[in-house]
Amino acid sequence: MSTKPSTCYECDANCPIQVEFDAGGEPVAIQGPDCPRCYAQLDRRNHPDRLLYPLKRVGPRGSGQFERISWDEALGTIAERLSATRDEHGAPSVAFFAGYTKEARPQLQRLAHAFGSPNYLTESGCCFSATMVAEKVTFGYKIKTTSTVVSPKTRCHLIWSTNPRGSIPPFDTHGLVTLKPGRRMIVVDPRRTPMVDQADIHLQIRPGTDGALALGFHHLIFANGWQDQTFLDQWCSGVDAFRDYVAEFTPERVASICGISASDLRAAVALFATTPPAQITLSPTATVQHSNGFQNHRALILLSAVTGNLDREGGNRFFNDKVMPKPIELFDHCRNNLPPRIGDEVYPVWTKYWPAGQSMLLPDCILDGRPQRVRSLLAMGINTAMWPNSKRMEQALGSLDFFAATDFFHNPATLQADIVLPAATSLERPALIAYPGCAYQGELRYRRPVVAPRGEARPDGQIFLELGVRLGMGDQFWNGDLEASWAEAAEGIPDEIREEVYSNPDGVTVYAGAIEDLVEHGFLDADRLYRLRGFPTASGKVEFDSAELRAAGHDGLPIYREPAESPVSTPEIARDYPLVLTSGARTKFDTHSQHQYIQRMRRAIPNPLVEIHPSDAEPRGIRDGQSVEIRSPRGAVCFVARVTKRIKPGVVHCTHGWNSANVNELTDDRHLDPISGFPPFKSSLCEVAPVA
């Protein structure tokens, strides 16, 4: 039996794998990390429901009535219809969307901007980008990416609404899962995750109150003199105003807001602030998918600054840039020559730092023409389940003048499309991979296809290049040659390692220049980069009171506001919908909606589950394993009840990513975060009742 090296692409970890082949050249097994997603790659490739040929809709939108057509007809139709929209309404009225997989984003974005549209959108409109922008505005550096890397020097871990056992490969053997002797741990989470079982303190907060809890930490740190005053005096801006503000967040007030005990809060702050170095482990989304998420995340990350744990070994390290491929997506052309992107009008701080439009506004653009009118859409890996109030997004896709999509399987979005194109899997397509890694170390790798695509499937990137050719831009799109596009991107890699990137299937480790810079200037410890470069913010310091936010009309301080829909802010809604609805906890058996079709994954989690506490289930007559209906002001969806003490009383948690039970049909699309545009996936209101 022969093998070929490749990389897994079931999440963004890009783990190395070996693909085994039978005598006929068909892949039959995968050797890789102990992760169920890894082994599902063959299940997807060979699934009987996989899309294998171009399709044209022949029935009403949403009917699922399609007929097979040729690639020539499919590409010709798309090019013709997008051109017609541009001719009649202007290029910005055509939007381009990239969901999963992410590898073909440079080619799709290049197509959008060469076409003349600034409106390239991605799933990052509701994913990690808000944490990144909040960190850039506050520190000038990112820290979330490095916050899950375990340091041998850390003495106290503050795990804030993330569960490495379910979300970070290698899951059960992640460094945080087994706490080292002498280390302490605090967990903040409305759910009792496996991390809680080894924690000293569990702060089981009401979803959406993270900002209040963080400000309560700051209050006690200042009140007890636990702050690193030397660091604050030398490297921070706006501290006095911030200290005055947090004086309001007494333990008793914070305990009341968050639904925790004041004594637990005091104990947690004392442990965190007096056990240095302390590291905060962050989620990419849990703190920002709220109507108040951006400022909540700022309040939280400032804890690493106020205690002097910022960019210190054992604390929260900066993520530093490494060698990267040459940009080929034409974003500079977009920024310098094209009209404003969707979101520039209302979320300019976010769009300043993120090279795309705000995709959460797409339903408004299609249905209401605000802030811009969108009439046609070309999408890769789109699913309406990604949008709050998903049925409205489904309605929006159904009202487009023209809509084409690439995917592996049909879903509620593709059923609204005029043309659906079959995408090649990661085993069937090449890609130049730049894995970001940790503070100073990253990885470059060129992955070649190990097997031909099934049916007539094609790599997404190749499809977009071929469309560029059809639109009369062959020279700009390498005349449809996908390998050539990656070769141009590889020109950004130094000559001395580029050949190895292509020839070594294990990839090439690259390092940030920051290490050499520190050593050359006499700093023998490779941390505290700010000693050399300062902080690339408006003030050159850590911004407790952000000048950039104030200039954009927002609060400069990380002001706490109640979630837009909550028992406190909307008691009139809470009368009918008294439970707080949260969602999105990760498991190793799925990446969002990508693994619903895989039978081996469904053996582990066969049903869409809602976790509800016994004290909430009993008066509603809900039994464990029973079908229940969850209602919100947006609609109703059926789940299966898991009655458990692992969820906070008064809160229910739903699994996400199920097309058959889409929790985001229930979530609020009208109260997006005012700075990032992120939806409140993790804090709204609902009611639960048994299904008769």
Side-chain angles (χ1 to χ4, degrees):
M1 186 174 288
S2 62
T3 64
K4 292 182 182 180
S6 187
T7 62
C8 179
Y9 194 71
E10 299 308 298
C11 69
D12 61 2
N14 288 294
C15 297
I17 59 173
Q18 290 288 328
V19 184
E20 297 182 2
F21 294 84
D22 63 16
E26 276 296 304
V28 293
I30 292 179
Q31 301 300 322
D34 185 16
C35 170
R37 300 182 219 179
C38 171
Y39 310 119
Q41 294 175 87
L42 293 182
D43 301 47
R44 172 189 287 117
R45 181 174 189 270
N46 300 320
H47 198 284
D49 294 336
R50 182 182 168 190
L51 298 171
L52 296 176
Y53 305 98
L55 301 174
K56 177 175 70 175
R57 180 176 56 83
V58 294
R61 282 185 165 161
S63 66
Q65 298 175 43
F66 292 86
E67 68 177 16
R68 179 178 170 181
I69 59 174
S70 68
W71 272 102
D72 183 66
E73 180 181 353
L75 295 174
T77 299
I78 295 171
E80 178 184 344
R81 294 296 299 274
L82 297 187
S83 295
T85 302
R86 178 176 60 185
D87 292 345
E88 185 172 355
H89 302 288
S93 66
V94 180
F96 299 75
F97 175 83
Y100 276 72
T101 61
K102 300 180 181 182
E103 287 180 348
R105 290 187 176 191
Q107 290 85 358
L108 179 59
Q109 186 167 11
R110 185 182 185 91
L111 179 63
H113 299 333
F115 181 83
S117 175
N119 291 324
Y120 165 76
L121 314 164
T122 78
E123 49 74 45
S124 298
C126 66
C127 191
F128 80 99
S129 62
T131 63
M132 183 274 285
V133 176
E135 290 159 11
K136 286 277 198 175
V137 166
T138 307
F139 300 143
Y141 296 99
K142 295 182 285 186
I143 65 168
K144 184 272 141 195
T145 308
T146 58
S147 74
T148 57
V149 179
V150 178
S151 166
K153 292 189 176 181
T154 302
R155 294 180 59 222
C156 180
H157 296 276
L158 175 54
I159 313 293
W160 202 295
S161 290
T162 191
N163 173 28
R165 192 184 291 269
S167 62
I168 310 173
F171 304 114
D172 294 328
T173 57
H174 189 277
L176 287 168
V177 168
T178 303
L179 196 62
K180 303 297 188 295
R183 297 194 184 189
R184 313 297 295 277
M185 181 179 288
I186 305 155
V187 173
V188 176
D189 205 301
R191 303 169 70 237
R192 187 179 175 87
T193 68
M195 303 301 295
V196 173
D197 296 337
Q198 60 181 327
D200 296 275
I201 302 167
H202 178 204
L203 299 176
Q204 196 170 25
I205 64 170
R206 172 167 61 92
T209 63
D210 307 79
L213 180 60
L215 296 170
F217 267 65
H218 286 289
H219 172 98
L220 286 168
I221 289 168
F222 282 118
N224 288 282
W226 291 328
Q227 74 273 20
D228 185 334
Q229 195 61 48
T230 301
F231 177 78
L232 294 177
D233 290 341
Q234 185 174 359
W235 293 108
C236 299
S237 172
V239 176
D240 290 342
F242 178 77
R243 184 170 183 168
D244 290 344
Y245 177 61
V246 303
E248 306 171 16
F249 287 84
T250 63
E252 290 71 27
R253 182 188 175 203
V254 170
S256 176
I257 293 171
C258 299
I260 59 175
S261 78
S263 60
D264 283 348
L265 173 59
R266 288 189 176 92
V269 178
L271 183 59
F272 172 74
T274 64
T275 316
Q279 180 192 53
I280 311 169
T281 297
L282 300 162
S283 162
T285 59
T287 52
V288 293
Q289 289 179 340
H290 305 276
S291 61
N292 56 3
F294 192 93
Q295 295 286 33
N296 281 1
H297 191 73
R298 289 190 67 232
L300 165 57
I301 61 176
L302 282 167
L303 288 171
S304 64
V306 79
T307 53
N309 284 306
L310 188 60
D311 204 33
R312 300 291 295 267
E313 185 60 36
N316 282 94
R317 305 302 305 276
F318 292 155
F319 175 84
N320 296 289
D321 294 332
K322 297 97 180 170
V323 172
M324 294 291 288
K326 170 185 171 182
I328 61 171
E329 74 286 342
L330 298 182
F331 181 60
D332 284 345
H333 169 69
C334 170
R335 190 164 41 198
N336 297 328
N337 301 298
L338 298 182
R341 288 167 277 156
I342 292 168
D344 277 336
E345 308 92 338
V346 283
Y347 306 116
V349 173
W350 183 84
T351 56
K352 173 185 174 182
Y353 290 95
W354 191 250
Q358 177 41 279
S359 54
M360 293 297 98
L361 296 175
L362 189 53
D364 291 340
C365 292
I366 298 170
L367 294 172
D368 304 329
R370 58 180 178 86
Q372 303 180 32
R373 175 70 69 181
V374 167
R375 300 178 182 273
S376 293
L377 176 67
L378 175 63
M380 166 179 71
I382 189 172
N383 191 329
T384 55
M386 198 193 85
W387 275 265
N389 195 6
S390 301
K391 285 295 186 183
R392 185 168 181 265
M393 179 57 180
E394 193 173 321
Q395 176 193 357
L397 295 179
S399 67
L400 284 163
D401 293 349
F402 179 74
F403 171 33
T406 69
D407 218 310
F408 304 126
F409 300 97
H410 273 306
N411 66 56
T414 64
L415 294 178
Q416 301 296 326
D418 298 287
I419 300 288
V420 180
L421 303 176
T425 70
S426 58
L427 300 178
E428 303 165 339
R429 65 177 189 257
L432 179 61
I433 299 167
Y435 183 61
C438 57
Y440 292 114
Q441 184 175 310
E443 189 177 90
L444 295 170
R445 180 189 289 120
Y446 191 76
R447 188 196 65 232
R448 290 179 169 81
V450 296
V451 66
R454 286 193 61 216
E456 294 182 7
R458 295 184 183 180
D460 297 283
Q462 181 182 332
I463 294 169
F464 304 138
L465 298 186
E466 290 175 356
L467 281 171
V469 174
R470 294 269 180 159
L471 289 162
M473 301 180 289
D475 290 345
Q476 294 186 66
F477 287 85
W478 302 276
N479 293 309
D481 187 338
L482 180 58
E483 296 264 14
S485 73
W486 290 128
E488 181 159 331
E491 292 175 5
I493 302 171
D495 295 343
E496 61 269 22
I497 64 171
R498 188 187 310 134
E499 182 178 345
E500 188 179 359
V501 169
Y502 271 82
S503 63
N504 186 348
D506 294 327
V508 177
T509 300
V510 292
Y511 299 92
I515 298 178
E516 294 180 2
D517 290 348
L518 284 163
V519 172
E520 286 178 3
H521 287 80
F523 298 112
L524 300 182
D525 39 3
D527 61 11
R528 291 170 287 167
L529 185 62
Y530 54 81
R531 295 175 297 177
L532 180 62
R533 299 182 181 175
F535 292 88
T537 61
S539 64
K541 299 181 177 183
V542 173
E543 299 235 327
F544 282 76
D545 189 351
S546 169
E548 183 174 358
L549 290 178
R550 281 191 278 106
H554 302 294
D555 294 307
L557 296 172
I559 300 296
Y560 173 72
R561 288 183 171 82
E562 263 291 310
E565 186 175 288
S566 83
V568 177
S569 59
T570 55
E572 70 284 359
I573 296 177
R575 282 195 294 270
D576 295 322
Y577 305 99
L579 297 172
V580 176
L581 172 64
T582 193
S583 66
R586 307 296 192 250
T587 81
K588 63 182 179 182
F589 299 103
D590 54 80
T591 302
H592 308 306
S593 64
Q594 291 185 83
H595 297 100
Q596 286 187 348
Y597 298 89
I598 309 302
Q599 185 177 1
R600 75 170 76 196
M601 299 300 209
R602 296 286 65 83
R603 287 199 293 266
I605 305 177
N607 298 304
L609 299 174
V610 54
E611 294 175 317
I612 184 169
H613 194 273
S615 64
D616 296 315
E618 184 177 357
R620 291 169 170 81
I622 294 171
R623 303 184 308 276
D624 188 62
Q626 184 176 15
S627 293
V628 296
E629 183 181 71
I630 305 180
R631 301 190 303 271
S632 83
R634 271 70 58 184
V637 179
C638 288
F639 286 79
V640 174
R642 173 174 286 174
V643 180
T644 174
K645 292 182 178 180
R646 286 190 170 267
I647 188 71
K648 183 178 179 66
V651 176
V652 297
H653 170 267
C654 290
T655 53
H656 75 295
W658 288 73
N659 290 331
S660 60
N662 175 15
V663 65
N664 283 333
E665 292 180 18
L666 306 176
T667 51
D668 180 12
D669 63 337
R670 293 303 186 187
H671 296 98
L672 306 182
D673 181 275
I675 302 173
S676 68
F678 269 43
F681 287 149
K682 301 189 185 300
S683 52
S684 55
L685 293 174
C686 74
E687 179 58 293
V688 185
V691 172

Short mmCIF file of all heavy atoms in Angstrom, two decimals, residues 65 70 88 94 131 143 157 163 207 230 266 296 304 408 429 573 590 641 644:
data_model
loop_
_atom_site.label_atom_id
_atom_site.label_comp_id
_atom_site.label_asym_id
_atom_site.label_seq_id
_atom_site.Cartn_x
_atom_site.Cartn_y
_atom_site.Cartn_z
N GLN A 65 -34.76 21.97 -7.35
CA GLN A 65 -34.86 21.44 -8.71
C GLN A 65 -33.74 22.02 -9.58
O GLN A 65 -33.76 23.20 -9.93
CB GLN A 65 -36.23 21.79 -9.31
CG GLN A 65 -37.39 21.18 -8.56
CD GLN A 65 -38.74 21.64 -9.10
OE1 GLN A 65 -38.94 21.70 -10.31
NE2 GLN A 65 -39.66 21.96 -8.20
N SER A 70 -22.98 21.75 -18.58
CA SER A 70 -21.54 21.68 -18.79
C SER A 70 -20.84 22.82 -18.06
O SER A 70 -21.45 23.84 -17.73
CB SER A 70 -21.24 21.78 -20.29
OG SER A 70 -21.56 23.09 -20.78
N GLU A 88 -25.59 47.47 -15.95
CA GLU A 88 -26.84 48.17 -15.65
C GLU A 88 -26.79 48.94 -14.33
O GLU A 88 -27.35 50.04 -14.22
CB GLU A 88 -28.00 47.18 -15.61
CG GLU A 88 -29.36 47.84 -15.42
CD GLU A 88 -30.52 46.87 -15.57
OE1 GLU A 88 -30.28 45.69 -15.90
OE2 GLU A 88 -31.68 47.30 -15.35
N VAL A 94 -22.46 44.05 -7.46
CA VAL A 94 -22.12 42.63 -7.46
C VAL A 94 -21.23 42.37 -6.25
O VAL A 94 -20.20 43.02 -6.08
CB VAL A 94 -21.38 42.22 -8.74
CG1 VAL A 94 -21.03 40.73 -8.70
CG2 VAL A 94 -22.23 42.53 -9.97
N THR A 131 -12.07 40.32 17.57
CA THR A 131 -11.06 40.24 18.62
C THR A 131 -9.76 40.86 18.12
O THR A 131 -9.08 41.58 18.85
CB THR A 131 -10.81 38.79 19.06
OG1 THR A 131 -10.30 38.03 17.96
CG2 THR A 131 -12.07 38.13 19.56
N ILE A 143 -3.13 39.42 20.33
CA ILE A 143 -2.71 38.50 21.40
C ILE A 143 -3.56 37.23 21.46
O ILE A 143 -3.14 36.24 22.05
CB ILE A 143 -2.71 39.17 22.79
CG1 ILE A 143 -4.12 39.57 23.23
CG2 ILE A 143 -1.76 40.35 22.83
CD1 ILE A 143 -4.22 39.96 24.69
N HIS A 157 -3.60 30.41 35.08
CA HIS A 157 -4.34 30.44 33.82
C HIS A 157 -5.74 30.99 34.08
O HIS A 157 -6.48 30.47 34.92
CB HIS A 157 -4.46 29.03 33.23
CG HIS A 157 -3.16 28.41 32.85
ND1 HIS A 157 -2.55 28.65 31.64
CD2 HIS A 157 -2.33 27.56 33.52
CE1 HIS A 157 -1.42 27.98 31.57
NE2 HIS A 157 -1.25 27.30 32.71
N ASN A 163 -12.85 26.31 25.52
CA ASN A 163 -12.67 24.95 26.01
C ASN A 163 -11.70 24.22 25.10
O ASN A 163 -12.10 23.66 24.08
CB ASN A 163 -14.02 24.22 26.04
CG ASN A 163 -13.86 22.75 26.39
OD1 ASN A 163 -12.92 22.36 27.08
ND2 ASN A 163 -14.78 21.93 25.90
N PRO A 207 -24.35 35.04 29.97
CA PRO A 207 -23.75 35.40 28.67
C PRO A 207 -23.93 36.88 28.35
O PRO A 207 -25.00 37.47 28.56
CB PRO A 207 -24.51 34.52 27.68
CG PRO A 207 -24.92 33.32 28.49
CD PRO A 207 -25.24 33.87 29.85
N THR A 230 4.36 50.83 37.56
CA THR A 230 5.50 51.27 36.74
C THR A 230 5.19 51.10 35.26
O THR A 230 5.43 52.01 34.44
CB THR A 230 6.77 50.47 37.10
OG1 THR A 230 7.06 50.67 38.48
CG2 THR A 230 7.95 50.91 36.25
N ARG A 266 -13.98 38.01 44.30
CA ARG A 266 -12.81 38.49 45.06
C ARG A 266 -11.69 37.45 45.06
O ARG A 266 -10.51 37.78 44.87
CB ARG A 266 -13.22 38.81 46.50
CG ARG A 266 -14.08 40.06 46.65
CD ARG A 266 -14.24 40.42 48.12
NE ARG A 266 -14.97 41.67 48.28
CZ ARG A 266 -16.29 41.75 48.44
NH1 ARG A 266 -17.01 40.63 48.47
NH2 ARG A 266 -16.88 42.92 48.58
N ASN A 296 -16.41 44.81 25.41
CA ASN A 296 -16.21 43.75 26.40
C ASN A 296 -14.83 43.12 26.23
O ASN A 296 -14.11 42.86 27.21
CB ASN A 296 -17.28 42.66 26.24
CG ASN A 296 -18.61 43.05 26.87
OD1 ASN A 296 -18.76 44.13 27.41
ND2 ASN A 296 -19.57 42.15 26.77
N SER A 304 -4.34 42.02 31.04
CA SER A 304 -2.94 41.64 30.88
C SER A 304 -2.02 42.85 30.99
O SER A 304 -0.86 42.72 31.41
CB SER A 304 -2.73 40.94 29.53
OG SER A 304 -3.00 41.82 28.45
N PHE A 408 -19.47 21.70 -1.67
CA PHE A 408 -19.40 20.24 -1.70
C PHE A 408 -20.78 19.61 -1.69
O PHE A 408 -20.99 18.55 -2.27
CB PHE A 408 -18.64 19.71 -0.48
CG PHE A 408 -17.26 20.26 -0.31
CD1 PHE A 408 -16.87 20.85 0.88
CD2 PHE A 408 -16.32 20.18 -1.34
CE1 PHE A 408 -15.59 21.35 1.05
CE2 PHE A 408 -15.04 20.68 -1.18
CZ PHE A 408 -14.67 21.27 0.02
N ARG A 429 -6.84 19.41 -4.48
CA ARG A 429 -6.45 20.74 -4.98
C ARG A 429 -5.12 21.17 -4.37
O ARG A 429 -4.79 20.78 -3.24
CB ARG A 429 -7.53 21.78 -4.64
CG ARG A 429 -7.71 22.02 -3.14
CD ARG A 429 -8.74 23.11 -2.83
NE ARG A 429 -8.71 23.43 -1.41
CZ ARG A 429 -9.61 23.02 -0.53
NH1 ARG A 429 -10.64 22.29 -0.92
NH2 ARG A 429 -9.50 23.36 0.75
N ILE A 573 -39.69 41.91 26.72
CA ILE A 573 -39.46 40.71 25.92
C ILE A 573 -39.25 39.50 26.84
O ILE A 573 -39.72 38.39 26.56
CB ILE A 573 -38.26 40.89 24.98
CG1 ILE A 573 -38.55 42.01 23.97
CG2 ILE A 573 -37.91 39.60 24.25
CD1 ILE A 573 -37.39 42.33 23.04
N ASP A 590 -17.00 18.43 14.79
CA ASP A 590 -17.54 19.25 13.70
C ASP A 590 -16.81 20.58 13.64
O ASP A 590 -16.30 21.07 14.65
CB ASP A 590 -19.04 19.47 13.87
CG ASP A 590 -19.40 20.06 15.23
OD1 ASP A 590 -19.24 21.27 15.42
OD2 ASP A 590 -19.83 19.29 16.12
N ALA A 641 -33.52 17.93 24.04
CA ALA A 641 -33.10 18.46 25.35
C ALA A 641 -32.02 17.59 25.98
O ALA A 641 -32.11 16.36 25.99
CB ALA A 641 -34.30 18.56 26.28
N THR A 644 -29.06 19.12 32.17
CA THR A 644 -27.74 18.98 32.76
C THR A 644 -27.43 20.13 33.70
O THR A 644 -27.82 21.28 33.44
CB THR A 644 -26.65 18.90 31.67
OG1 THR A 644 -25.36 18.91 32.28
CG2 THR A 644 -26.74 20.07 30.71
#
